[in-house]
Amino acid sequence: MRSSGRNNRDSGRGDHRGAGGATPRPKAGGKRDDKQRAGRPRPEERRYDVGGSGGPGGSSDRKDERGGAKGGGPKSGAPKSGGSRGAAARGGAKGGPRTGAKSGPGAKGGPQRGRGQAPARPREYDAQVEERNRARHNKPQVKTPKTFGDQEGERLQKVLARAGMGSRRACEELIDQARVEVNGQVVMEQGVRVDPEKDEIKVDGLTVATQSYLFFALNKPAGVVSTMEDPDGRQCLGDYVTNRETRLFHVGRLDTETEGIILLTNHGELAHRLTHPRYGVKKTYLAAIQGPLPRDLGKQLKDGIQLEDGYARADHFRVVENTGKNYLVEVTLHEGRKHIVRRMLAEAGFPVERLVRTSFGPIPLGDQKSGWLRRMTNTEVGMLMREVEL
């Protein structure tokens, strides 16, 4: 044991001196020295085993194993199984996929392909894929249904809300209550689209003015001329509708000294029908006259009074109030000739002192003050349109 340790220390000193420049003299007949020369590491990588194993050559065997692991070269005295396993592990970790054949009972006959390499495709397959892609992109464009594309018209509840029938929620309730008609058909579901320019929309049987139309009722005072502009500078209807973006015009006329309701609108067709004799829209007047009145005055007016331009007949006549000789009578007729009421009563022998028109068709004057302009409700507009079959 002592001699073995001393020999190792001597050999270490000799190797250390050899690192300085002189090559140590080889010992003859040393099997261990042959192994060292075969796989001798560089001086800076040497490792010295100072704890001998007790048997001759034991320490050198361990040095050979460590030298083979550190130096990376094959050792003649290294175990084959351990060396091959270490080399395989290092090769698999750093060298990438192995393409060589496996050894052992589980090895296959041919070389294995790496994981990252895809199998080569034939040209015919690539051509088929390209042809399918072209066919898919060359298909005619499919027209999407109106539910998902640009739809025509507007939602019915939106049109009703814009026409002043209430909020959208209130208009939806009108539809749920089956109170809305479009072109004569009762609408039973939400989301129906309509064209306000073409479709006829009714609520409770009354036509709704869905377009940008304006309808006003004015209580015309006495002395106001029934024109929108007067070249002589007299007070006219246009003085009551200033600052309006849309041009309005009056429906029919009232005498300058006649008071009462007169309609203003920008709906040309409605204004035309309201004044046309074919539709016979009735107007009611209150006339202040002097009595006494004969009992058959109403019959005379209903039978017809001969005037310069033909007969004029009243649809209705009644006495509203009588105070001494002062009578307030109500006359209803559908004609619209100039000064028709005044001329009829004057021909019967009772000149009119004051005349007020209290209703135009289904639109009453009510308690509206003289000179006041009000916007008509949708219900009133609908009643007017029904009166003239719009």
Side-chain angles (χ1 to χ4, degrees):
M1 292 293 292
R2 295 178 183 174
S3 60
S4 175
R6 189 165 48 251
N7 292 335
N8 288 336
R9 286 193 297 268
D10 295 339
S11 61
R13 284 194 299 269
D15 291 341
H16 186 66
R17 286 193 302 268
T23 303
R25 180 179 299 175
K27 296 183 179 180
K31 183 179 181 181
R32 183 176 53 192
D33 296 338
D34 295 339
K35 291 181 180 181
Q36 283 183 337
R37 283 194 301 271
R40 178 177 296 175
R42 290 175 295 179
E44 59 271 16
E45 294 182 356
R46 292 176 181 242
R47 299 294 182 268
Y48 300 97
D49 188 6
V50 294
S53 59
S59 61
S60 62
D61 292 341
R62 282 193 294 271
K63 285 194 292 182
D64 293 341
E65 291 176 2
R66 285 192 298 270
K70 190 67 178 181
K75 292 287 184 177
S76 59
K80 293 183 180 181
S81 61
S84 63
R85 183 168 59 250
R90 287 192 300 272
K94 296 182 180 180
R98 291 173 296 167
T99 58
K102 289 185 178 180
S103 60
K108 295 183 179 180
Q112 294 183 350
R113 188 177 301 275
R115 295 182 181 178
Q117 299 179 5
R121 297 187 302 188
R123 295 182 179 179
E124 293 78 2
Y125 181 78
D126 291 338
Q128 293 177 3
V129 172
E130 185 177 357
E131 184 178 357
R132 285 198 299 267
N133 291 337
R134 289 180 179 178
R136 183 171 65 251
H137 292 291
N138 291 335
K139 288 183 179 180
Q141 186 177 5
V142 180
K143 295 183 178 180
T144 57
K146 291 185 177 180
T147 307
F148 303 100
D150 295 335
Q151 304 181 23
E152 298 178 357
E154 298 181 69
R155 290 183 179 273
L156 179 58
Q157 56 266 37
K158 182 179 178 181
V159 175
L160 293 175
R162 189 174 64 248
M165 300 302 297
S167 64
R168 292 192 185 183
R169 178 57 184 164
C171 295
E172 291 176 356
E173 293 178 357
L174 292 176
I175 297 174
D176 292 336
Q177 297 168 5
R179 299 170 57 185
V180 182
E181 299 179 15
V182 177
N183 299 328
Q185 300 292 330
V186 179
V187 179
M188 302 298 297
E189 60 182 5
Q190 301 291 340
V192 175
R193 291 186 172 268
V194 296
D195 186 356
E197 301 289 338
K198 301 178 181 179
D199 296 329
E200 182 184 40
I201 303 174
K202 294 184 178 181
V203 176
D204 296 332
L206 302 179
T207 303
V208 178
T210 56
Q211 301 177 6
S212 57
Y213 292 129
L214 299 176
F215 304 90
F216 294 95
L218 172 68
N219 186 356
K220 185 186 88 66
V224 177
V225 184
S226 295
T227 58
M228 301 306 293
E229 295 180 0
D230 186 69
D232 299 332
R234 295 174 295 178
Q235 190 176 12
C236 61
L237 300 177
D239 298 334
Y240 294 89
V241 292
T242 56
N243 300 326
R244 299 283 179 185
E245 296 181 0
T246 304
R247 178 180 177 271
L248 301 176
F249 45 87
H250 52 87
V251 180
R253 290 176 180 270
L254 283 178
D255 303 335
T256 303
E257 298 303 323
T258 301
E259 308 170 46
I261 186 170
I262 186 169
L263 306 182
L264 306 173
T265 183
N266 60 346
H267 197 304
E269 182 62 23
L270 177 62
H272 171 71
R273 294 194 181 194
L274 287 174
T275 56
H276 198 282
R278 171 187 172 185
Y279 298 97
V281 179
K282 295 180 180 181
K283 280 82 70 175
T284 302
Y285 298 84
L286 282 177
I289 59 177
Q290 294 291 324
L293 301 182
R295 290 180 178 271
D296 62 344
L297 179 59
K299 184 177 183 302
Q300 295 178 27
L301 296 175
K302 291 179 181 178
D303 291 342
I305 302 293
Q306 180 67 40
L307 302 177
E308 299 175 357
D309 51 355
Y311 274 92
R313 295 179 175 85
D315 297 317
H316 179 72
F317 174 84
R318 71 185 182 96
V319 177
V320 177
E321 186 178 324
N322 173 222
T323 306
K325 293 183 178 181
N326 299 321
Y327 284 83
L328 187 64
V329 297
E330 183 181 79
V331 181
T332 301
L333 69 166
H334 61 271
E335 295 190 45
R337 283 183 279 177
K338 186 177 181 179
H339 306 299
I340 185 66
V341 177
R342 291 179 182 272
R343 289 193 292 160
M344 288 177 65
L345 289 175
E347 187 68 25
F350 303 95
V352 176
E353 296 180 357
R354 184 184 177 189
L355 187 64
V356 178
R357 184 159 71 182
T358 58
S359 68
F360 191 107
I363 311 302
L365 178 63
D367 57 355
Q368 186 174 347
K369 296 181 180 180
S370 179
W372 281 35
L373 180 74
R374 69 174 181 88
R375 187 161 187 168
M376 298 172 60
T377 64
N378 290 283
T379 302
E380 291 176 327
V381 175
M383 290 189 296
L384 279 177
M385 290 186 172
R386 181 173 61 181
E387 192 78 12
V388 294
E389 302 176 4
L390 276 178

